[in-house]
Amino acid sequence: MEHIVIIGNGIAGVTAARHIRKNSDKRITIVSAETDYFFSRTALMYVYMGHMKFEHTQPYENWFWKKNRIELKNGYVNTVDHQNKKLVLADGNTIGYDKLILATGSKPNKFGWPGQDLLGVQGLYSKQDLDQLEANAPDNKVCKRAVIVGGGLIGIEMAEMLRSRKIPVTFLVRETSFWNGVLPAGESAMINEHILEHHIDLKLATNLVEILADETGRAKAVTTDKGETIECSVVGLTAGVSPNIDFLKDSGIELGRGIKVNRHLETNITDIYAIGDCAEQYEGIGQRRPIEAVWYTGRMMGETVAQTICGNKIEYKPGHWFNSAKFLDLEYQTYGWVFSERGMKENEQHFHWRDDKEKICVTVAFDKKTKQFLGINTFGIRMRHEIFDRWLTEKRDVNHVMEYLKDANFDPEFYSQYENKIVSKFNSEFGTSISLKKKSWKRIFSNA
Amino acid sequence: MKVIQNIGIAIFLIGLGVFTTLPFIGDFKLDQSSFDELIDSQGIKSEIFVSDLKSKLVNKNFSGFQPLAPLVEESIDKANTEHTKNKEWGKKVYAGSDDLATTIRKKSGYGYVPQNKGLMWFLTFGLGIIGALMFILPQVVTLGKKGIKNDHIYHQSSTNKGWIAWLVFIFLVSFYLVLYFKSEYAVNWTYLVDPISESLSGNPAGHWFVYGFMYCVVMTVMAVRMYIKYRHNMYQMVRTTSVLFFQIVFAFLIPEIMVRLQLSYSKGYDFKNAFPLDYDFFFNWNLKELIAGGGLGLFILVWGIVLTVVIVPVMVYFFGKRWYCSWVCGCGGLAETLGDPYRQHSSKSLFSWKVERWLIHGVLLFALVMTGFTLYGFFAETGTVLGIKVQSIMNTYSFLIGAIFAGVIGTGFYPIFGNRVWCRFGCPLAAYLGFVQRFKSRFRITTNGGQCISCGNCSTYCEQGIDVRAYAQKGENIVRSSCVGCGVCSAVCPRGVLKLENGPEEGRINPTEVLLGNDVDLMELVNKR
Ligand SMILES: Cc1cc2nc3c(=O)[nH]c(=O)nc-3n(C[C@H](O)[C@H](O)[C@H](O)COP(=O)(O)OP(=O)(O)OC[C@H]3O[C@@H](n4cnc5c(N)ncnc54)[C@H](O)[C@@H]3O)c2cc1C
Ligand code: SF4
């Protein structure tokens, strides 16, 4: 029986395993070093905040794996020996494979800051990081202040976590406005306000220079490029992640920033595939980046590679881009492409609406000339994935999107609706006279 | 704020302490005339019983925790043995010793508590309410910006099955045991609400009135907590208001007012309580009373049947089971208010789901078979069907399901097994609604394409123990018979994945393997297979 070995029990590896099992009878082994069972990395914050226990982050009960004949091996792979088709584990054991899937995920970036390896300095990626944070910052007596370096999604999550225990937080963000490399200015500005509302000491356009140690080798303060010294007990390094591939350096597998793969998710070595955070496309697909370190793409690559392994060779061909996040209390969803002013394409034009009372806003991107709808960012209003996916496929124009905006609303029942305000601003801005259509189940589920 | 909250807790605990002490204290002395009245009102014809009990009770002092029921029991036994021997069936005493003991106490209490009803009300209910509100209201500020506020639920003893939770558990279980089985100890509590009961129905309060009143008070106070906690979520606000309204008006006020008006049908009736949750609706005695109850009685009889046979399923078809379970029902009402802090304790394991299906359908079957027996007995005018005493089936059900399951376990176990133990594992009406919801309804929880990140918030906070994530992470809608539509999964989801909605039946159940966002051809290939 063909033996499929997967390194990494994250969303990518586990999705691949599940789908291979569904489509075949092959022997499947997952080797992973972090935890015995798959858990949801995206939920780590909720464990620290006391919303959930760690066991709740595990999407499958422990019997699931045996029942589905997916063998789990807790161990760290030191070497991939593709000539002999075997893995050598840190404990000296070896595992032979017929096909190998690398799904090793990411690790937090460290940019060589002085003091980055001191006690009390940590990233937030793994279960071990969570445990460490629990030890480093159990409450605001042990941790008098935390400094978080890097204004991305993980950074703001870490800030929220620490604030839940009333720990004062200073948030160093390199950009002049939060996440403005990704978000348009209006949205980024709204989040700046929201961060401050949560009593987080946001320092924009500020870089870390050095982390200072006390006599026991623990972090005691940081200095910034603004000449400030900020005393603290914990430093969170959240300046992005990069593929976790160090152990593959001399394996003969082609590496760039990540593991180089073609559209079939194959590496340069036969029978070795790479998926999830660790995979790097030779060229970004469409407007996507070559490395996509998000949950959904890991899952999609897992779904795809399983087909190939089970004899139905197909390309990784993701559909329309979508993503979501939550900034403290603000939910964010995006469908299609809305670029920030920095990344904006020549032909891209934005319509931005923000409510005058609530922290709710929407940005719609469309083509200047053709008016084709390109994408939407929404804050504080949930929207239907299916509808936007359809509109993008059908290449609808922005007027159509405005006219049928109610179909896309996904907020819980009885919520205030903002479509009227949105469309009337659109009308006055662009001199159109679009009148909103009532929500129609028929349209919503027309090709469901 | 913290200070106000702490003072609130202290005041609440004083109120609770006084309340808890009441069953242990008080003085009781029955005089001759009350005794005669009592015997009269109970229609007791046994001289043996009367003289025996009289020698034990009349003009004697009893205090606090000294039980009366065993004394009464003794007298009943003595009298009944004698009457059975002499074949004097008409003289046998059929009244229960616990009920009699309770009535005796109520008639014979004297001293501080019955003489200071208002003050004692304040020292128990009053302090409880004030204290609880002092704890709850500051949350407007302490919870910060509006949004989901589940911080530290798993760090706190009260909500993480710590010692506080176990104390609450012991308190609730004991409270229900007293209420159902040792009601003579609840007599001091009845004095507190006598004035309220008298102003409503004209009668002094019994222990079920205490329960009903307390139910409303607890729900109201905890509804305030819901309003604050979910102030960003209109669905929760509206739903909480609805469930509170139905409890106070339908379950509490209307039945009392019906009694006051001395209508042809002289008992109170809860118009929203549908069979088979209202399991004694078709009991012999109830049918007789309804039929004897003139126009109103007949109306109730017809209404009760139409409610179960037509209104309930039609509403479930359009709105899902939620319209009843989390918008109207009293059991659901308590679960959604008092029980909200414990919702995360419902087990999500597959094993629990299996247990759930066996139990709840078992209870439904039990209720239906029992009703079949009682109806047959009613029409055939017999007390025995298929050689089984109908009365004994009814007693078993009332004891096991009505009292132990719905009351003691259903509510007592909130802090340990979550707030919907009864609704999930026991309620026969829920089982019935569930069938309709699963097989013929427009209701579903829609999963928003591929947006789920498998975080587990939805599953954790599902009070019905549904592993919501198992569906959401596959992009599948959630169509489950047990879902009561509380809307909390949707509220806690950090990615906006879940929406409760009523839409076309077609495509409601949508098994998927490959989620939206991936290659359309692959989706087509895998999902259509
Ligand atoms: C705090 C946090 C929040 C996030 N929130 C979101 C979000 O909201 N939305 C979103 O889209 N994405 C989010 N992400 C990103 C998302 O979690 C990742 O993209 C995703 O988990 C990557 O999955 P993966 O399977 O590729 O790798 P991983 O989940 O990283 O799994 C790889 C596993 O392989 C193991 N491994 C690596 N090397 C070896 C070896 N040599 N031997 C043995 N085992 C090895 C690792 O220990 C790890 O357990 C978040 C990430 C973090 C850290
Ligand atoms: S809460 Fe939302 S994102 Fe999390 S598992 Fe449930 S549906 Fe998915």
Side-chain angles (χ1 to χ4, degrees), chain B residues 368-395:
Chain B
L368 292 179
V369 169
M370 170 180 74
T371 305
F373 273 65
T374 54
L375 283 176
Y376 182 85
F378 177 77
F379 288 112
E381 296 186 3
T382 165
T384 339
V385 179
L386 298 176
I388 306 171
K389 267 211 169 127
V390 176
Q391 189 61 42
S392 65
I393 307 183
M394 291 169 13
N395 290 348

Side-chain angles (χ1 to χ4, degrees), chain A residues 8 10-12 33-34 41-42 75 77 103-105 125 157 277 294-295, chain B residues 495:
Chain A
I11 179 67
E34 186 180 355
R41 200 171 293 298
T42 54
V77 178
T104 56
Y125 190 84
E157 282 188 4
D277 279 22
V294 287
W295 184 262
Chain B
R495 294 295 178 269

Side-chain angles (χ1 to χ4, degrees), chain A residues 37-105:
Chain A
Y37 298 105
F38 170 48
F39 72 97
S40 178
R41 200 171 293 298
T42 54
L44 285 177
M45 62 183 296
Y46 300 110
V47 178
Y48 179 87
M49 290 163 71
H51 294 206
M52 293 197 275
K53 295 206 264 191
F54 182 72
E55 69 203 47
H56 295 126
T57 67
Q58 295 175 180
Y60 303 96
E61 286 184 70
N62 293 351
W63 50 258
F64 175 88
W65 309 101
K66 195 158 181 198
K67 178 166 174 265
N68 288 290
R69 288 172 292 123
I70 296 172
E71 293 167 43
L72 302 180
K73 168 103 190 118
N74 191 334
Y76 186 81
V77 178
N78 267 346
T79 338
V80 175
D81 174 358
H82 67 83
Q83 251 118 26
N84 299 305
K85 286 202 160 180
K86 68 173 195 197
L87 310 177
V88 185
L89 304 193
D91 61 9
N93 284 329
T94 59
I95 298 178
Y97 67 83
D98 296 307
K99 288 198 169 112
L100 177 67
I101 302 175
L102 301 167
T104 56

Side-chain angles (χ1 to χ4, degrees), chain A residues 377-431:
Chain A
N377 280 354
T378 129
F379 286 80
I381 306 180
R382 297 174 174 182
M383 301 243 186
R384 258 178 229 274
H385 188 176
E386 246 127 35
I387 294 286
F388 280 113
D389 196 78
R390 191 187 308 156
W391 287 342
L392 287 163
T393 303
E394 294 169 353
K395 297 194 175 6
R396 295 290 183 176
D397 64 23
V398 65
N399 293 4
H400 181 91
V401 170
M402 286 295 150
E403 190 172 348
Y404 294 100
L405 201 55
K406 274 185 184 297
D407 287 356
N409 186 301
F410 200 71
D411 270 339
E413 292 148 301
F414 307 113
Y415 269 46
S416 310
Q417 312 229 315
Y418 297 92
E419 288 85 7
N420 279 318
K421 290 188 184 174
I422 296 172
V423 170
S424 74
K425 175 159 191 225
F426 184 87
N427 279 338
S428 71
E429 210 161 289
F430 297 97

